[in-house]
Amino acid sequence: MPVDVGPRAGPHPVPVTLTINGMRHDLTIEPRVTLLDALREYANLPGTKKGCDQGTCGACTVLVNGRRIDSCLTLAIMHTGARITTIEGLADGDRLHPMQAAFLEHDGFQCGYCTPGQILSAVALLAEKRPLDDASIREFMSGNICRCGAYKNIVDAVAAAGKQNV
Amino acid sequence: MNLVGAPIDRVDGRRKITGTARYAAETPLPGLTYAVMVESTIPAGTIAAVDAAAATRASGVIAVLTYENAPKVEQHKVAGMTDRNLPLLQDRIVRYDRQPVAVVVADTFERATDAASLVRIRYDTSVPALSLAHGSGYHPEHSHGDEPSVYERGNVDAAFAGADVKIDRTYTTPVEHHNPMEPHATVATWDGDVLTVYDATQGVFGTRSRLAVAFGIPPANVRVVCPFVGGGFGSKGSAWAHTVLAAMAARAVKRPVKLVLARPQMFGSVGYRPATIQRVTLGAKRDGTLVSTLHEVRSQTSIFDEFVEPSAELTKMLYAVPNVRTINTVVPLNAATPTFMRAPGESSGSFALESAMDELAYAVGLDPLEVRLRNHADSDPSKQLPFSSKSLRECYSVGAERFGWSRRVPRARSMRDGGLLVGMGVASATYPTNRSAASALVRLSSDGTAHVFAGTQDLGTGAYTVFSQVAAEELGIPVSSVRFELGDTNFPMGPVSGGSQTTASVGNAVSVAARSARDRAIGLALGDPQSSLHGHDADAIDVRDGRIFLRDRPDVGDTYAAILGRHPQGEIEERGDARPGDEKTAFSMHAFGAQFAEVRVDPELGTVRVVKMVGAFASGRILNAKTARSQYLGGMVWGLSMALHEITRTDARSGRIMNANLADYLVPVNKDVPSDFEAYIVPEDDPNVNPLGVKGIGEIGIVGAAAAIANAVYHATGTRVRDLPIQPEKLV
């Protein structure tokens, strides 16, 4: 048995201000809170999904200053002042983002749990100006696992949205 | 109207693409606390000592539950195919690696996680039973349902002894974990003796009864809610330990508790496909017709519960063979209890049987497709019943044509693409059509809309969508006027979403409820002096776009909105109940399909790429061609995964699972699935199977797919891999 080192006092919560989907969120969270948990548990934005918490599945993909990242692998406190975009911020009111509309039309999902990450990843892929042939889309969408196996429809959705020059 | 069958977009799709679909872990409750499970680090032994002092005193910690202080609950199952014996902190015995041994509750997720790491547990270890091949096993009473675990028709030994051609091979499949993208999650809250649980489950009613039994309260005191499931594939078909533990913790701390499994814990206590060792012998005439089939299945279960992987069920009925013996043996191991995983039995069993059929094709020098056609079963040889419908021949021909099977050069290792070996393989697919009793409620309102309720689940299958279509068609209103709600034990009862039975079960109930609501509305109009339909005959009525009218004089009519607007309550409610009839005694009911795969194999590296897959499936009436195709394609991806990727590795000495994460446990990513990947719906009209004429589509897509790929690998390389997954080292 290890020696009792006394009570473990976790790090103290500190004020952290995040800009998510253009809105200011003043949170009081421990510095060890991941960006993913800050969104889901503290900012009431559970659209971003936790699939593995290990950076292996891509379900937690968000855009930080336009770049796609796994929000489970970074701490919220590191992103004060950054522009964070989640699935909740993609549509313009009732008007879907073209990538969202393409996923719906091409049935690019089943259970929907990987979908927010897939869509944000796909939005970033277009912004990255990757070639939009099948092989390239498949390669650059491979950081987002879909266990339902909707890959073919995801590729079709990304290609279709890409053709609209979004 | 032809709403049923139309390839409409998912009605719940908008919520999923905008991030507003709420999964279990996303239920906001005031005063919510966070529970984290601590799991055993040995597969067998007893807990010698627990030191929870540091964890208990860590910041924010509200409770630490271990076997020493956990409230007493019932951990034994009562009945039912999905019910399991659960480890619920009731004793000090460790029966498998990753068994829950403590639950820490704190005010934040971070604090609960941190404190969980401070729980110290010392074990007295004992020697674990880990070997499927060498462990002692037994024949369970049943292999599946009422099927006996030892079955024989004719005389297999005599027929095999006298056969012209004999195949005798052993095939093995590994442990596989479902790994839905949404980890299992439970939010539990008590109000006195009333428990509400938001749970990621494939069966709200099964979870309700398990919780009621565990806590000794009436089922009516338990409400289980699950509007969305982030994938299940069988792993959420049973109530597992974490769900009960979350409720136990909530009761202990007198606050709502959220318990979400970490990804490594998804390899712990939520089931898996057990490893199998399958011996298949085929006796055949020189023309390829089978005279005997033996299928011996050895699969693992846990030392505290029984699950049988029914791999030989399809062997009883897939081909017209006079002499068949199937035997199931289960071997209890120090491992968690296995469970249903997408096409349990049919997926693992079809790998063995359909690989053996391929071996037979080469042995008799016939095209693998031709061997299958020569053994086609026109009726079910095990039940001696006609099939309610069977379109397997059409599946073979549609699949072969779309795939381009005629390109295949018969001899193995005879086709090349530059430096790569090219191979093509085929396999049959089948899955039984299951159905359970189910109910639904339809409420028609004076605004002309229908609100439909059913205690079923949508795992991504399309249940929301197809049931909305069924209700809309029966009522004669647009799909957009239907609001369908599911996943709540406050709704009429539905079965577990497993065995590909949801549409056949709940779909028929929705249909009955909707028709009865329509008929009642028609009755109201005919009896209402204020209606232009007053006094007319119900037989003369038609309904379209929410308007009830005379078939011969469409200008004479009345709308649901107007009829119900004049009704004192402003709305009507009708319940529909549907249950299987006696069709099972008259027919054998199965969906069928054919799988085709093309691979490229690098002869130096042994790497296999699937470059093309075609599946053709006949599953009765298809309610939505878009979502059905997605189901089939998803199943085929699972088959590809089973063939090439998936294996849970357990260390043979420590009994610990070594790859419990999605970096080391491989599932296909986008790049693994070729662009040339298609599922075809073979039209099939089945008036016998159930009123809607539907068979299940959720599981057949995986059946035969691994065998088709393994057969393609053999065709490419001349090397027969009988041990899944097909990894490079097995080909060099």
Side-chain angles (χ1 to χ4, degrees):
Chain A
M1 289 279 114
V3 179
D4 187 350
V5 293
R8 167 94 63 126
H12 285 294
V14 294
V16 173
T17 298
L18 298 176
T19 306
I20 310 165
N21 304 326
M23 299 270 289
R24 183 187 158 110
H25 289 256
D26 293 310
L27 309 176
T28 304
I29 54 175
E30 295 179 4
R32 61 181 168 179
V33 174
T34 64
L35 178 56
L36 173 60
D37 287 324
L39 294 169
R40 285 175 64 82
E41 306 294 340
Y42 297 90
N44 193 26
L45 291 167
T48 307
K49 303 304 180 200
K50 182 185 282 193
C52 71
D53 225 8
Q54 298 179 313
T56 60
C57 79
C60 66
T61 303
V62 299
L63 306 184
V64 173
N65 295 330
R67 183 170 163 241
R68 48 177 164 165
I69 64 164
D70 287 340
S71 61
C72 74
L73 287 187
T74 189
L75 301 175
I77 200 170
M78 296 160 67
H79 299 287
T80 57
R83 247 181 329 111
I84 300 162
T85 306
T86 73
I87 193 70
E88 290 95 340
L90 219 47
D92 178 10
D94 279 345
R95 210 163 58 91
L96 294 175
H97 185 282
M99 189 62 76
Q100 291 172 311
F103 267 70
L104 185 59
E105 187 192 338
H106 293 272
D107 210 30
F109 57 91
Q110 293 176 31
C111 80
Y113 200 79
C114 74
T115 311
Q118 299 276 2
I119 290 174
L120 285 159
S121 204
V123 167
L125 180 146
L126 296 191
E128 290 158 15
K129 306 284 179 207
R130 308 269 181 199
L132 289 177
D133 57 287
D134 266 19
S136 172
I137 293 172
R138 286 162 56 218
E139 174 101 35
F140 290 100
M141 287 300 290
S142 279
N144 294 82
I145 295 175
C146 170
R147 185 57 160 159
C148 296
Y151 292 129
K152 185 184 173 71
N153 292 352
I154 291 170
V155 173
D156 289 348
V158 176
K163 282 195 191 110
Q164 298 172 41
N165 272 331
V166 287
Chain B
M1 278 199 281
N2 261 326
L3 300 176
V4 168
I8 65 166
D9 295 342
R10 286 170 199 267
V11 299
D12 56 331
R14 202 177 169 95
R15 281 182 281 176
K16 288 178 174 176
I17 56 171
T18 54
T20 52
R22 284 287 166 270
Y23 298 81
E26 298 157 4
T27 311
L29 290 177
L32 188 65
T33 64
Y34 294 78
V36 170
M37 260 175 17
V38 179
E39 298 176 322
S40 71
T41 54
I42 61 162
T46 52
I47 297 171
V50 175
D51 179 1
T56 305
R57 285 186 291 143
S59 341
V61 170
I62 305 163
V64 180
L65 300 175
T66 69
Y67 83 91
E68 292 179 340
N69 64 347
K72 293 297 157 237
V73 292
E74 178 55 64
Q75 54 183 357
H76 293 103
K77 62 183 176 185
V78 178
M81 252 173 73
T82 63
D83 210 358
R84 305 276 183 241
N85 292 328
L86 302 176
L88 299 172
L89 309 179
Q90 300 298 295
D91 59 48
R92 59 168 74 209
I93 303 169
V94 176
R95 298 169 176 87
Y96 62 95
D97 177 37
R98 297 172 188 273
Q99 175 184 318
V101 290
V103 174
V104 177
V105 187
D107 59 350
T108 70
F109 170 68
E110 292 73 26
R111 286 167 164 174
T113 304
D114 191 6
S117 74
L118 301 176
V119 177
R120 293 285 176 264
I121 294 178
R122 191 160 57 78
Y123 299 99
D124 288 332
T125 59
S126 49
V127 178
L130 297 173
S131 173
L132 174 61
H134 304 296
S136 69
Y138 66 96
H139 301 310
E141 191 180 349
H142 297 293
S143 53
H144 181 72
D146 295 329
E147 294 289 326
S149 69
V150 179
Y151 162 89
E152 180 151 12
R153 68 170 179 260
N155 185 331
V156 168
D157 294 335
F160 187 67
D164 298 335
V165 182
K166 296 174 188 178
I167 303 291
D168 184 350
R169 295 297 187 183
T170 297
Y171 305 86
T172 55
T173 62
V175 167
E176 299 165 352
H177 279 84
H178 312 69
N179 279 300
M181 296 315 296
E182 179 203 24
H184 290 59
T186 305
V187 174
T189 182
W190 290 85
D191 180 3
D193 245 3
V194 175
L195 171 65
T196 302
V197 160
Y198 303 85
D199 196 42
T201 178
Q202 291 173 234
V204 289
F205 283 94
T207 298
R208 180 177 78 159
S209 57
R210 194 63 178 81
L211 287 164
V213 167
F215 294 101
I217 54 178
N221 280 21
V222 183
R223 181 181 175 206
V224 179
V225 182
C226 180
F228 290 96
V229 194
F233 315 111
S235 72
K236 292 168 181 167
S238 302
W240 298 107
H242 68 275
T243 298
V244 184
L245 292 174
M248 179 198 283
R251 193 174 229 188
V253 303
K254 299 184 169 59
R255 284 170 66 177
V257 163
K258 179 194 305 201
L259 196 163
V260 183
L261 297 193
R263 181 56 58 179
Q265 294 179 327
M266 295 293 288
F267 294 77
S269 305
V270 291
Y272 57 93
R273 195 195 302 283
T276 69
I277 301 171
Q278 303 178 55
R279 179 179 172 221
V280 176
T281 76
L282 301 178
K285 297 179 189 165
R286 277 188 221 295
D287 67 359
T289 52
L290 290 163
V291 296
S292 75
T293 307
L294 166 70
H295 195 162
E296 294 177 346
V297 184
R298 192 176 178 82
S299 65
Q300 70 190 95
T301 185
S302 68
I303 62 164
F304 59 98
D305 209 344
E306 181 182 284
F307 175 81
V308 188
E309 175 80 3
S311 304
E313 297 313 302
L314 82 169
T315 304
K316 296 174 181 171
M317 50 62 66
L318 186 51
Y319 296 112
V321 194
N323 305 288
V324 173
R325 182 159 78 236
T326 65
I327 302 175
N328 288 85
T329 304
V330 289
V331 181
L333 300 179
N334 281 99
T337 306
T339 196
F340 321 100
M341 181 160 159
R342 205 167 195 170
E346 276 74 18
S347 50
S348 51
S350 64
F351 168 65
L353 180 64
E354 289 300 284
S355 292
M357 287 298 284
D358 202 58
E359 304 209 36
L360 174 64
Y362 286 94
V364 296
L366 278 177
D367 185 300
L369 202 47
E370 178 60 25
V371 167
R372 286 169 172 83
L373 285 166
R374 287 191 186 182
N375 290 289
H376 184 271
D378 295 330
S379 61
D380 183 334
S382 63
K383 296 187 179 128
Q384 297 184 316
L385 289 174
F387 288 108
S388 62
S389 62
K390 179 173 180 178
S391 311
L392 180 56
R393 288 180 194 278
E394 292 78 1
C395 293
Y396 288 142
S397 67
V398 167
E401 193 204 321
R402 303 285 179 160
F403 178 80
W405 183 249
S406 58
R407 296 172 296 142
R408 182 178 176 273
V409 178
R411 200 162 46 83
R413 211 178 169 101
S414 60
M415 298 179 74
R416 281 185 175 264
D417 174 11
L420 301 177
L421 306 175
V422 174
M424 301 181 195
V426 65
S428 308
T430 185
Y431 194 81
T433 302
N434 298 308
R435 186 183 172 197
S436 300
S439 301
L441 186 77
V442 170
R443 184 185 300 149
L444 265 175
S445 301
S446 57
D447 61 0
T449 66
H451 202 159
V452 186
F453 306 87
T456 183
Q457 299 74 216
D458 188 329
L459 327 177
T461 45
Y464 272 113
T465 309
V466 297
F467 296 150
S468 297
Q469 289 174 275
V470 169
E473 175 151 302
E474 291 290 358
L475 289 165
I477 59 177
V479 176
S480 59
S481 295
V482 176
R483 195 166 129 222
F484 189 85
E485 285 197 65
L486 51 70
D488 193 326
T489 51
N490 281 351
F491 301 159
M493 194 182 295
V496 63
S497 291
S500 297
Q501 68 169 346
T502 299
T503 303
S505 307
V506 181
N508 281 299
V510 170
S511 171
V512 170
R515 201 174 320 131
S516 132
R518 177 197 64 196
D519 289 348
R520 194 165 147 208
I522 291 173
L524 287 175
L526 303 183
D528 181 355
Q530 292 183 61
S531 173
S532 52
L533 295 169
H534 180 68
H536 283 282
D537 188 356
D539 293 340
I541 298 291
D542 219 341
V543 189
R544 194 175 305 151
D545 289 329
R547 188 168 169 276
I548 299 173
F549 57 91
L550 293 179
R551 197 173 300 116
D552 296 335
R553 289 185 54 201
D555 56 307
V556 179
D558 206 347
T559 64
Y560 281 127
I563 294 164
L564 294 170
R566 295 190 299 267
H567 189 259
Q569 271 85 49
E571 60 182 31
I572 55 171
E573 253 185 26
E574 286 293 319
R575 189 187 157 101
D577 304 303
R579 60 184 60 254
D582 56 5
E583 60 274 2
K584 220 171 183 167
T585 60
F587 298 102
S588 175
M589 299 174 287
H590 292 258
F592 289 91
Q595 306 265 14
F596 295 81
E598 179 176 346
V599 299
R600 295 283 184 281
V601 183
D602 186 319
E604 259 125 54
L605 298 175
T607 46
V608 178
R609 304 276 326 170
V610 174
V611 299
K612 180 173 186 141
M613 266 187 97
V614 166
F617 306 98
S619 309
R621 188 182 185 196
I622 295 300
L623 300 186
N624 182 319
K626 181 180 270 191
T627 54
R629 171 176 171 267
S630 293
Q631 284 285 288
Y632 289 145
L633 289 174
M636 290 163 64
V637 171
W638 272 63
L640 184 157
S641 189
M642 186 178 182
L644 301 181
H645 297 294
E646 289 184 53
I647 176 169
T648 301
R649 295 187 181 281
T650 300
D651 181 72
R653 291 156 302 175
S654 68
R656 300 216 66 201
I657 293 171
M658 300 187 292
N659 59 339
N661 60 73
L662 289 175
D664 298 310
Y665 182 91
L666 302 184
V667 297
V669 297
N670 207 317
K671 194 68 194 272
D672 291 311
V673 176
S675 308
D676 216 348
F677 194 88
E678 197 50 82
Y680 294 96
I681 293 167
V682 173
E684 184 176 70
D685 178 28
D686 189 330
N688 305 311
V689 69
N690 53 55
L692 272 183
V694 298
K695 299 175 177 176
I697 59 172
E699 294 171 271
I700 192 171
I702 183 178
V703 182
I709 292 169
N711 295 341
V713 168
Y714 176 78
H715 181 237
T717 63
T719 301
R720 179 69 64 180
V721 179
R722 302 185 183 89
D723 175 42
L724 292 181
I726 302 168
Q727 292 163 317
E729 63 268 26
K730 296 175 185 173
L731 291 171
V732 289

